[in-house]
Amino acid sequence: IGFCNAMQGLGMVLANPHVPGHLQALLQQAVIPFTLSASFVLLGARFRVQQYWGVLLILGGIALQLWPSSSQGVADADSAAGWDRGSASW
């Protein structure tokens, strides 16, 4: 599982120029539920109830962020998420 996480990190570095920043953050957060699921299935690991709630919270946040993207066109997805290409807040 650690090797898969390392390859995911390498993939994110290589995909950096091709993937919008807010989507990269969502993909990084999505690693947590996948790691928990893989640990449960492959290793038989057990987790506390709070950890499952944390994963549900992460998945809910990802779904909430992606909701405007799915209901609008692809061109409007960045502006709907608050990421206008021409303006940076920092």
Side-chain angles (χ1 to χ4, degrees), residues 10-90:
L10 178 64
M12 288 299 292
V13 169
L14 297 175
N16 191 18
H18 309 289
V19 180
H22 69 282
L23 189 56
Q24 286 182 16
L26 290 177
L27 290 172
Q28 286 288 68
Q29 291 302 313
V31 169
I32 297 168
F34 284 114
T35 302
L36 184 131
S37 300
S39 296
F40 181 79
V41 171
L42 298 174
L43 302 175
R46 299 288 181 237
F47 301 96
R48 295 188 311 225
V49 174
Q50 294 91 343
Q51 291 169 313
Y52 290 113
W53 279 111
V55 165
L56 286 174
L57 185 65
I58 291 169
L59 291 174
I62 291 171
L64 188 64
Q65 180 66 30
L66 292 178
W67 184 275
S69 306
S70 64
S71 64
Q72 296 177 350
V74 175
D76 294 334
D78 284 341
S79 62
W83 293 90
D84 293 329
R85 293 189 188 275
S87 63
S89 59
W90 41 274

